[in-house]
Amino acid sequence: MRAVVCSKFEGPDALQIGDLPAPDMPAGYVRIAVRAAGVNFADTLMAAGKYQVKPQLPFAPGLEVAGFITEISSDVNGLAVGDRVMACVDYGGFAEEAVARASDTYVIPDSMTFVEAAGFPIVYGTSHIGLKHKLNLQAGETLLVHGAAGGVGLTAVEIGKALGAKVIATAGGAEKLAVAERYGADALIDYRTEDIRERVKALTDGRGADAVYDPVGGSAFDASLRATVQLGRILVVGFASGTVPQIPANILLVKNLTIIGYYWGAHRILDPALVNESFAELLAWFEAGKIKPHVSHVFAMDEIGEAMSTILQRKSTGKVVVLTESGAQEA
Ligand SMILES: NC(=O)c1ccc[n+]([C@@H]2O[C@H](COP(=O)([O-])OP(=O)(O)OC[C@H]3O[C@@H](n4cnc5c(N)ncnc54)[C@H](OP(=O)(O)O)[C@@H]3O)[C@@H](O)[C@H]2O)c1
C-alpha cells in the first residue's frame, strides 16, 4: 500500500512516499481505508526517533485517521464494515490503510467530513477531558488559554465557552487572535506586545484567572503562575515553546495553586469508558453546531513534508490534515 515511509530517524525531511505492506490486524482491531489523516507535532518527533513510541523501521507515522471500516476482527462488537469513522492509532496513519483498536475507533456523524474528522480525536479529546474532568472548569469561571489559535488551544477556547466559562485567549499576533475570537474567546492578549499578567488582572478586576490551559510552557507558564487567583488551577498540556517549566513550589504554597498534568494519549488507554462518554458529548455538540473543527491547511499525503513544516513554522491555525489519493478524489 502507498504510505509515507520513515526508513531512518532523520526527521520530516527524510520522509518519502513509497510502499509498505498492509498492516496485520490483531484481535480487537478494525481495518480502515484511510481518506484523511491529522498531522501533529508529535509526528515530526516520531519521524526523528524522539517520541516515546519508536516503531521498528520502516514504518508510516500518523496518529489519527478518518475513513471507512473495511474489515473487523471477529471479537469486535458495535462497529460494522462500511462505517464512516475516526480513530487514533499508535502510528501508521499516513497510509492508504491503517489498523486501529476498536476502542479507539468512533463512528462519525454523516454531517462531519473526513477532513474535519481526521483532526478531531486528539485535540478535542484532550481539551474536553482536560477542561471538564481534570481542571473541573465551572460555568462563570475565567479560563486563560495559551496557544489559543493552535490545535489543542483553539478547541480549549470552544470547549471552555461550551462549558460556560469566560475565555481569555493568548496568541502571537492579530491574525491568530482573530481566529481565537471567531471561535468564541471573550478577550484577547497578544503576548508579543502585551504583558499577560497585567492584562489578565485588568480583564478580571484585579482577581486573575480561575483556571489556565497551557499547551505552550516556557514563559507562558511562568506568567500563568502570576495571572491566577488564589486557589487557582493550571493544566499542563504541552510544551510547544520547547521549554519545560520548572515549578516553583513556594508560589504554589503561597497562592494555594493546583497544577495538574494531562496526557490524553495515555489516559485514553487507561480509561476508555471516560473517552467514550467524552466523544459522545463532543459529537452531540458537533451535531448541534456548538463546536466546529477548524482546519487551516489541507495537503495531499505526498506533500507531508510541507504539511509538517507548516506546523513547525507556526503557520497553521487549528489543524493540518493530509488526504490519501482516494480521499482527495472524494473531497
Ligand atoms: N497532553 C496531551 O494529551 C496533548 C495532546 C495534544 C497536543 N499536546 C501538546 O500540546 C502542544 C501543542 O500542540 P498543538 O497540536 O496545539 O500544536 P500547534 O497546533 O502547533 O499549536 C501550538 C501553538 O503554540 C504556540 N507556540 C508558542 N511557542 C511556540 C514555538 N516555539 N513553536 C511552536 N509553537 C509555539 C503557537 O502559537 P503562537 O504562534 O500564537 O505563539 C502555536 O499556535 C504540543 O507540545 C503537543 O505535543 C499535548
Side-chain angles (χ1 to χ4, degrees):
M1 63 171 187
R2 216 168 147 70
V4 172
V5 182
C6 178
S7 49
K8 45 191 170 183
F9 288 120
E10 291 184 4
D13 292 344
L15 295 173
Q16 287 180 324
I17 298 296
D19 281 311
L20 284 176
D24 293 337
M25 203 181 72
Y29 277 62
V30 301
R31 186 180 300 280
I32 298 168
V34 178
R35 294 296 188 257
V39 186
N40 288 280
F41 183 73
D43 298 317
T44 68
L45 296 178
M46 198 185 280
K50 292 181 182 160
Y51 193 62
Q52 53 259 44
V53 178
K54 200 170 174 185
Q56 208 179 338
L57 296 168
F59 72 98
L63 297 170
E64 49 184 355
V65 299
F68 293 100
I69 294 185
T70 56
E71 191 186 347
I72 295 191
S73 151
S74 58
D75 57 344
V76 169
N77 297 311
L79 293 167
V81 168
D83 280 350
R84 297 174 75 248
V85 294
M86 61 184 184
C88 289
V89 293
D90 295 336
Y91 58 90
F94 300 145
E96 282 174 331
E97 281 182 27
V99 293
R101 286 178 206 88
S103 56
D104 282 335
T105 304
Y106 294 87
V107 174
I108 58 173
D110 293 342
S111 56
M112 183 180 268
T113 65
F114 284 136
V115 167
E116 289 172 326
F120 194 96
I122 294 178
V123 291
Y124 279 103
T126 302
S127 293
H128 184 259
I129 297 183
L131 291 173
K132 187 169 174 174
H133 297 276
K134 302 292 283 187
L135 208 48
N136 193 22
L137 186 68
Q138 299 297 311
E141 288 193 316
T142 300
L143 171 70
L144 175 65
V145 177
H146 295 305
V152 280
L154 195 56
T155 60
V157 171
E158 272 189 296
I159 293 169
K161 288 308 296 174
L163 293 173
K166 172 182 172 183
V167 175
I168 302 175
T170 80
E175 254 176 62
K176 287 196 173 181
L177 285 169
V179 175
E181 187 172 34
R182 243 183 13 251
Y183 275 72
D186 299 284
L188 310 171
I189 301 176
D190 184 344
Y191 69 82
R192 291 189 191 161
T193 55
E194 299 175 294
D195 182 86
I196 292 176
R197 174 180 176 273
E198 275 175 25
R199 282 277 289 135
V200 171
K201 292 275 177 175
L203 288 163
T204 55
D205 295 328
R207 279 186 77 241
D210 299 293
V212 182
Y213 183 94
D214 182 14
V216 174
S219 57
F221 179 88
D222 296 341
S224 303
L225 291 169
R226 292 170 172 80
T228 39
V229 292
Q230 282 275 344
L231 291 168
R233 297 103 67 203
I234 299 175
L235 192 72
V236 175
V237 178
F239 314 111
S241 66
T243 304
V244 178
Q246 299 305 305
I247 297 172
N250 57 330
I251 298 183
L252 263 59
L253 182 149
V254 169
K255 289 187 73 174
N256 278 293
L257 293 183
T258 303
I259 300 190
I260 306 155
Y262 190 49
Y263 174 35
W264 183 82
H267 195 200
R268 80 170 207 268
I269 309 286
L270 293 170
D271 195 348
L274 179 62
V275 176
N276 256 322
E277 189 189 307
S278 165
F279 278 133
E281 180 159 53
L282 284 165
L283 293 175
W285 283 354
F286 173 85
E287 292 195 277
K290 240 176 167 176
I291 54 173
K292 172 86 186 134
H294 174 69
V295 179
S296 69
H297 293 76
V298 180
F299 294 96
M301 201 172 72
D302 298 14
E303 300 168 313
I304 188 68
E306 209 180 319
M308 287 184 173
S309 62
T310 300
I311 292 177
L312 292 172
Q313 291 169 20
R314 295 161 81 166
K315 289 183 187 159
S316 59
T317 52
K319 290 293 295 186
V320 173
V321 165
V322 292
L323 298 175
T324 57
E325 218 171 284
S326 42
Q329 280 163 9
E330 288 169 16

